[in-house]
Amino acid sequence: MNINIDLLPQERRNRLNRLPYLLGAAGLFLVISALLIILFITGKSSVHELDEKIATSTEARDTVLAEITSRRTGVTEYNFVDKYNKIHGFLNGIYKNPITLKEDLYKLLPEGGSVSNYTFENTGALSMTVLFPTKDAAATYLQQLLQADFVTEAKVTSISLNTEKNLYEAYFEATVVTLEGEQQ
């Protein structure tokens, strides 16, 4: 026969008293775990829905952006600035700059010569009234015009003495090269 003497009765009772608490804590843990799993699954599906919405919105944005870009680039019925700039560039590539032609004509003037009237047309027709101190200066300027690369023909139509200014007034008619690449 075994005799069992329980010297620690309190400890055994405490273990038995802890069992309902442990079962309650385990049950609460299972319920919280189940709730977290359900929240994770619903959150995952809502994230997937949001990804789809973002992809749809991005595709719509890219379509609108491509349409706006096509309107802004190239020559379209919506883009008159590009159309004007292309025409302007094309025409500047065809015709020589008339200001440059005028400056080149002024560079040929002999000392003491000054232009009092200047008329230029895009066809190349040029008429100028130039004041010179001598008739020789007018002849020198005519020779300079005839030797210039950008002048195809030149002539003096009249020379008269301006008594008020005491200068000779020569009226020139010339034809200049107005197209780029055109030679004399």
Side-chain angles (χ1 to χ4, degrees):
M1 216 163 125
N2 282 341
I3 298 174
N4 194 6
I5 299 175
D6 191 8
L7 294 176
L8 300 169
Q10 286 290 23
E11 190 176 311
R12 190 168 189 199
R13 278 189 217 143
N14 283 342
R15 278 188 210 163
L16 290 175
N17 287 342
R18 283 189 224 161
L19 187 61
Y21 292 118
L22 286 175
L23 289 176
L28 184 61
F29 177 73
L30 288 174
V31 169
I32 290 174
S33 297
L35 286 175
L36 287 175
I37 289 171
I38 290 171
L39 284 174
F40 177 74
I41 291 171
T42 58
K44 190 174 180 181
S45 66
S46 67
V47 166
H48 182 67
E49 289 174 9
L50 288 175
D51 282 343
E52 288 176 0
K53 285 182 182 178
I54 289 171
T56 306
S57 298
T58 304
E59 186 178 321
R61 183 203 64 199
D62 291 344
T63 304
V64 170
L65 184 63
E67 183 180 331
I68 289 171
T69 303
S70 70
R71 285 184 179 182
R72 286 188 176 173
T73 56
V75 179
T76 64
E77 66 267 19
Y78 305 105
N79 192 349
F80 295 107
V81 174
D82 278 350
K83 190 174 188 178
Y84 170 76
N85 285 337
K86 286 186 180 198
I87 290 172
H88 181 70
F90 175 73
L91 290 177
N92 279 340
I94 292 176
Y95 291 106
K96 288 186 178 181
N97 189 351
I99 295 171
T100 307
L101 287 173
K102 181 179 177 181
E103 289 172 353
D104 290 343
L105 288 167
Y106 278 39
K107 286 177 188 175
L108 297 176
L109 284 172
E111 189 175 328
S114 64
V115 177
S116 64
N117 189 6
Y118 178 89
T119 306
F120 175 74
E121 296 176 14
N122 273 348
T123 60
L126 169 73
S127 59
M128 295 185 340
T129 304
V130 186
L131 300 173
F132 294 106
T134 64
K135 286 184 182 180
D136 291 340
T140 303
Y141 186 61
L142 178 62
Q143 186 63 32
Q144 294 284 347
L145 285 175
L146 291 173
Q147 290 177 353
D149 292 338
F150 56 91
V151 178
T152 56
E153 73 175 276
K155 64 181 176 179
V156 177
T157 55
S158 68
I159 296 179
S160 61
L161 179 63
N162 186 337
T163 54
E164 294 174 9
K165 297 179 182 177
N166 201 22
L167 295 172
Y168 288 96
E169 192 173 68
Y171 184 75
F172 290 90
E173 288 183 357
T175 306
V176 296
V177 177
T178 56
L179 297 177
E180 288 290 341
E182 185 179 7
Q183 295 296 324
Q184 183 173 334

